[in-house]
Amino acid sequence: MHFHLKAFLLYSLLFTITGRLNLPVIAETGEKLSTVEIITNSENTENTDSSAIWEKKTLSDYEDFSLISYQTVEISENREAVLVSDNSREDIVISNDPTPSAVNVEDVPPGSFAFTTYGWGHCVGLSQNGANFYAIYGGWNYQDILFHYYPGTVLKNTETAETEMITVQGVPGNALQQVAEIVNREVGPSFSTEAIKAQAVAVYTYIKYYNNDAHDLKGKPNPAQNIIDACASVLGEALYYNDTFAMTMFGASCGDLTADSNDIFSMNMPYLRSVSSDYDSQYDPHYGEVKYFTAEEVRNIIQNAYHITLSDNPENWIQIVEGNGGYARQVIIDGQMTVRGDAFRYEFELKSPKFAYVYASPNESEEVAEAPQEIPEEISSSEEEFANAEEQLPDNIP
């Protein structure tokens, strides 16, 4: 690379970094990082589109795209193995605050349950919407995002991706094609470039963890060119923990904090811990959704799922034991049995294992609805007392 070109690129990089310092950031856990010392050799510095749609799995309007475009993507010839790490991260969160309900009990129909859910998916690892929010509103790059959601990992290039074959749903293909199609299905072209890059690294690492098999991931054909370019710019980069590939789980979104893998799956993964996801409450479309069930519906769901007979007191049916980040680690059912919180939420088709509920007792609701009235100690039926009472009635009764 010529000297003038190097100088130009260095100047551009410094300008970009300086510009990012003026972007909005969040205090404390949401601060933009500045401690990553080594960067990859990618020269892709495409700016994000501020008009993008932030919801997961938006449909693409691209109709003319063909897989042959994969043959035209330029990849840096200097794709040296790089090691990127940030050991200064201290953003692992353990929260004992109870998960709030979005509704008050007096607003719930008598004899009904109201479940409030935060996020969509198991909420372990990278939050796709959360990553996009950090990129757009916090000015984070893909490395910031990855080290935040997978603390304690390092980023390194395998140097094998350009020639290796990986399998998706039993069908082998080249790494770029397979990763781009999975990313297309997971987030789509409307996401920020940095969020797409982070997703691409997470997908590739997940595939490597399962020995070049995509395991339970699926692709969506005809990814847009911006997805291909973003995936190509980080092709081969993977996250490692203790010199082995990390199990880089991801999901659509979470509720302010991600979940601890031990709480959700009973897997003690040091890099899958509860961390902040600061913009959820302001921007995530799956934050604080509410579903209503009658007590009879709840009884039927639980009894059919767990083959038990519930007591006659609905207030005793569900007791949530929360883990890190406010996620339901366990649910105690009517004092009879204990089940996993993530398994329990599937029975009610709740979007995530971070949920709370309120129950409106029919008796309590009736007492609130009917104001107490003074009743005379004795009611006489004598004609005289009736006449006296009649004279005291107002004249304008319709």
Side-chain angles (χ1 to χ4, degrees):
M1 186 179 292
H2 296 296
F3 171 80
H4 294 294
L5 180 56
K6 286 184 177 179
F8 173 78
L9 288 177
L10 179 60
Y11 176 81
S12 300
L13 179 60
L14 291 173
F15 178 82
T16 301
I17 294 174
T18 304
R20 282 181 178 172
L21 295 178
N22 296 324
L23 290 174
V25 296
I26 313 174
E28 297 178 355
T29 56
E31 280 188 11
K32 186 179 182 300
L33 307 182
S34 59
T35 54
V36 177
E37 298 178 353
I38 307 174
I39 62 174
T40 59
N41 294 320
S42 168
E43 297 181 3
N44 188 341
T45 58
E46 178 183 353
N47 292 327
T48 56
D49 180 3
S50 61
S51 64
I53 301 172
W54 313 137
E55 191 162 0
K56 180 176 182 282
K57 293 183 179 177
T58 53
L59 295 177
S60 172
D61 294 327
Y62 294 82
E63 297 178 355
D64 300 329
F65 180 75
S66 169
L67 289 182
I68 196 171
S69 295
Y70 282 109
Q71 307 303 319
T72 65
V73 175
E74 294 184 3
I75 302 176
S76 171
E77 295 179 358
N78 279 329
R79 190 170 285 280
E80 302 174 358
V82 295
L83 179 65
V84 185
S85 63
D86 182 8
N87 296 323
S88 67
R89 300 305 300 260
E90 295 181 356
D91 51 9
I92 297 177
V93 178
I94 298 178
S95 172
N96 294 319
D97 295 334
T99 299
S101 171
V103 294
N104 298 319
V105 65
E106 57 266 22
D107 298 324
V108 179
S112 297
F113 288 78
F115 287 85
T116 303
T117 308
Y118 299 91
W120 191 358
H122 51 65
C123 301
V124 176
L126 183 142
S127 167
Q128 292 163 331
N129 280 344
N132 199 41
F133 300 148
Y134 275 131
I136 298 302
Y137 302 114
W140 288 23
N141 63 32
Y142 77 99
Q143 294 175 348
D144 296 333
I145 293 168
L146 291 170
F147 292 138
H148 176 72
Y149 284 109
Y150 306 110
T153 60
V154 297
L155 186 64
K156 185 166 57 175
N157 199 304
T158 64
E159 296 189 290
T160 61
E162 295 177 22
T163 57
E164 67 189 350
M165 300 291 285
I166 59 179
T167 302
V168 179
Q169 298 293 301
V171 179
N174 71 73
L176 180 56
Q177 174 179 335
Q178 302 285 52
V179 169
E181 290 189 354
I182 293 172
V183 171
N184 188 36
R185 185 177 188 270
E186 289 294 332
V187 298
S190 68
F191 267 43
S192 158
T193 298
E194 296 303 311
I196 294 174
K197 289 179 184 179
Q199 182 65 65
V201 173
V203 165
Y204 180 68
T205 307
Y206 189 82
I207 292 171
K208 298 300 292 183
Y209 180 88
Y210 285 103
N211 299 315
N212 282 19
D213 191 317
H215 190 52
D216 52 357
L217 300 180
K218 298 179 181 179
K220 178 181 176 183
N222 301 333
Q225 193 64 46
N226 68 317
I227 292 181
I228 299 171
D229 293 341
C231 292
S233 70
V234 295
L235 185 65
E237 294 184 20
L239 290 170
Y240 292 75
Y241 186 83
N242 288 343
D243 296 325
T244 61
F245 292 110
M247 187 181 185
T248 47
M249 304 180 73
F250 47 84
S253 62
C254 61
D256 284 330
L257 303 166
T258 64
D260 190 310
S261 61
N262 197 38
D263 291 331
I264 306 303
F265 300 118
S266 298
M267 297 188 310
N268 188 21
M269 298 290 194
Y271 50 86
L272 293 177
R273 291 291 184 251
S274 180
V275 301
S276 59
S277 195
D278 298 84
Y279 292 101
D280 294 352
S281 60
Q282 300 102 305
Y283 300 109
D284 195 273
H286 311 297
Y287 186 90
E289 292 192 358
V290 181
K291 291 186 70 173
Y292 294 89
F293 299 86
T294 65
E296 190 62 25
E297 289 173 332
V298 171
R299 177 191 290 275
N300 290 337
I301 290 172
I302 292 177
Q303 292 187 162
N304 290 337
Y306 299 108
H307 309 292
I308 62 174
T309 300
L310 295 176
S311 66
D312 293 331
N313 187 0
E315 294 180 355
N316 294 336
W317 291 352
I318 303 171
Q319 181 183 350
I320 300 173
V321 180
E322 292 190 345
N324 295 337
Y327 289 82
R329 179 185 180 92
Q330 297 174 328
V331 175
I332 301 173
I333 301 177
D334 203 26
Q336 302 184 43
M337 64 186 305
T338 301
V339 299
R340 278 268 158 210
D342 192 53
F344 181 86
R345 63 108 173 177
Y346 276 108
E347 302 299 334
F348 289 86
E349 298 182 353
L350 304 179
K351 285 186 174 179
S352 92
K354 186 168 186 176
F355 60 88
Y357 79 91
V358 292
Y359 171 67
S361 169
N363 296 329
E364 291 179 358
S365 299
E366 290 172 4
E367 291 173 1
V368 172
E370 297 180 7
Q373 300 180 5
E374 294 184 3
I375 301 176
E377 296 180 0
E378 297 182 2
I379 299 178
S380 173
S381 59
S382 66
E383 292 183 2
E384 182 179 355
E385 290 184 355
F386 181 81
N388 291 336
E390 187 177 25
E391 290 177 358
Q392 297 175 8
L393 293 175
D395 298 330
N396 58 351
I397 294 180

